[in-house]
Amino acid sequence: MHHLQCILQAQRCLGWGPLASVSWLLLRTCRAHSSFSGTSCPRPEGQQENGVQKDFSSRLATGPTFQHFLRSASVPQEKLSSLDVVDPPPYLTVDELLGRQRKVYLETYGCQMNVNDTEIVWSILQKNGYLRTNNLQEADVILLVTCSIREKAEQTIWSRLHQLKALKKKRLRSRVPLKIGILGCMAERLKEEILHREKMVDILAGPDAYRDLPRLLAFAESGQQAANVLLSLDETYADVMPVQTSPSATSAFVSIMRGCDNMCSYCIVPFTRGRERSRPVASILEEVRKLSEQGLKEVTLLGQNVNSYRDNSEVQFNNAVSTNLSRGFSTNYKTKQGGLRFAHLLDQVSRIDPEMRIRFTSPHPKDFPDEVLQLIHERDNICKQIHLPAQSGSSRVLEAMRRGYSREAYVELIHHIRESIPGVSLSSDFIAGFCGETEEDHLQTVSLLQEVQYNMGFLFAYSMRQKTRAYHRLKDDVLEEVKLRRLEELITVFREEATKANKISMGCTQLVLVEGLSKRSATDLCGRNDGNLKVIFPDVEMEDVTNSGLRVRAQPGDYVLVKPNPGKSGDLLPLHLHPIS
């Protein structure tokens, strides 16, 4: 039996439930470039070569394939000097598409999906001859992977651009000119505004245009601005293996789908990341296997609506049995038929390495059929932690948000989940001050927090985004000071209820995956438990459960059993160490 399974089974036998002993708040053009080498101009009709008319089939075989004439089709790439370079457009040479050892500095803002996008971007640039640097001063290219979910996120980028503007002006003429690019959601949403407002921005690339970065950077070398913000119906970067940005990391994000079809009235995601499309199961499993071989101990499956995953990449998948929505939930789009669903993917991923933890985010409450809940309950290495975004506790506001459920349906799902997965840890998202929200609506959200007692929460004041349904159909009529006051009230209630929920597990033991030294003290280690809560504990020698009598110190990637110290509220004492690496 695998070691992690042994520990988890022992934990259940001894009555150790998941512990949430630490409570805190987290605020937070057609590119079909044909290759015709070796072909010649067609001869006049009837003209023969060596007495015999050239065979049409042989000439056809050397010409462009059907794929060359499909818009946005992936043209097979040829390796040139160990670099992956596609045939250049007419105005660029192959050499101009190469990085030529220029150094790239990457900054990531926003959600986990942007972290994964950063790894995809670096994978593409690395294969094209660029180097990575963590020193801003020595960078030749600075790329910001941006977020547009709230106005504050965009303001952070605008401020950062002003800082980089000064850096660009100070650039020595003897050095390669510094190029600055805006990638991701903000590039997609604002487009021309960024190019016109900040003349120092050289390139823009939307979430579906990262493959085009070498061309954009090559074009920018001429001193002109370059942009590609076209959204795709099929781009999933399935053939791009992300490059981990931290060699010492114990966990990784794996993107399984992109875009979203839910069209909640407040959300900008469908307009910045496009329509929903899922990555083929086979490519996801290949990536997870490689991460396991590299020694990583945890993967988080990512998507804007991760549990609506549906792989239709092969014809036979269309005959797969469809799963139902959660009881009492509906969608804003026509029901989709066939395809391999999230339960199938989750099952396959969890079988790759029984000692690798599996998480997923961010789900939508409507896509939690019993098949998914049963799998989480049965599989030891699928974390018993579910993120269940509520957004509001008022059915009236939920309808205005176009969430597809009422408060009553949401609460019923909460009860069903807790019955299906004993000891499950729950987290959620909430928006304070949405369009038309009354004081009574706000109090209903307060009461939902009190009723559910989440272990972790992400709470924000509403920020209206252009292009959304709310922008066109609703009025942002809640005063800013009222939004902030309601947000503070939600935060207070959340903390109180999370503390109550976490105290239930005081005295219990939990399994923690060590991440490294704690930021608060050089004598403490930190890690995360099954419920995804951060745990701080002393860096001391512990008994190795696989070698009786051996004393060792925990390292990143080790699993440690810890429990709260009754004498010091909130502190944790280690019991055993199980080194996996």
Side-chain angles (χ1 to χ4, degrees), residues 463-488:
S463 176
M464 180 169 275
R465 307 278 78 197
Q466 292 181 356
K467 296 185 179 180
T468 62
R469 185 183 180 90
Y471 180 81
H472 293 290
R473 305 284 185 89
L474 303 176
K475 184 178 180 181
D476 188 8
D477 54 359
V478 180
L479 297 177
E480 191 65 24
E481 55 266 32
V482 175
K483 290 180 183 178
L484 296 178
R485 188 259 300 169
R486 290 178 182 174
L487 176 61
E488 287 302 318

Side-chain angles (χ1 to χ4, degrees), residues 216-373:
L216 295 175
L217 286 167
F219 190 75
E221 286 297 304
S222 66
Q224 301 183 65
Q225 292 177 310
N228 184 347
V229 291
L230 293 176
L231 289 175
S232 170
L233 292 175
D234 56 10
E235 178 63 88
T236 62
Y237 300 105
D239 61 330
V240 178
M241 186 60 63
V243 177
Q244 298 299 308
T245 55
S246 175
S248 62
T250 60
S251 60
F253 297 115
V254 175
S255 176
I256 68 169
M257 61 183 299
R258 302 180 74 85
C260 185
D261 288 347
N262 288 325
M263 299 299 291
C264 300
S265 61
Y266 56 83
C267 188
I268 191 65
V269 167
F271 304 97
T272 59
R273 287 191 171 269
R275 299 297 299 272
E276 188 174 290
R277 63 272 190 196
S278 297
R279 180 179 168 186
V281 168
S283 70
I284 297 170
L285 299 182
E286 179 186 4
E287 182 175 347
V288 175
R289 287 191 192 98
K290 289 185 178 181
L291 293 172
S292 175
E293 292 168 0
Q294 293 170 16
L296 273 75
K297 300 302 189 296
E298 180 179 281
V299 296
T300 300
L301 306 180
L302 291 180
Q304 267 71 39
N305 182 18
V306 66
N307 52 341
S308 71
Y309 176 88
R310 183 187 302 272
D311 179 10
N312 287 309
S313 61
E314 297 188 28
V315 175
Q316 61 266 32
F317 295 168
N318 293 327
N319 297 322
V321 178
S322 296
T323 55
N324 298 319
L325 297 178
S326 305
R327 287 182 288 274
F329 289 71
S330 62
T331 66
N332 294 321
Y333 52 81
K334 184 178 179 181
T335 302
K336 302 174 184 178
Q337 301 296 327
L340 299 182
R341 300 304 309 276
F342 184 63
H344 174 89
L345 175 67
L346 193 59
D347 171 55
Q348 294 298 306
V349 169
S350 68
R351 293 178 184 273
I352 291 175
D353 184 349
E355 291 180 349
M356 173 185 277
R357 276 180 169 174
I358 309 299
R359 302 187 188 276
F360 57 90
T361 197
S362 178
H364 190 287
K366 67 180 172 60
D367 294 304
F368 274 104
D370 288 344
E371 295 94 326
V372 171
L373 300 179

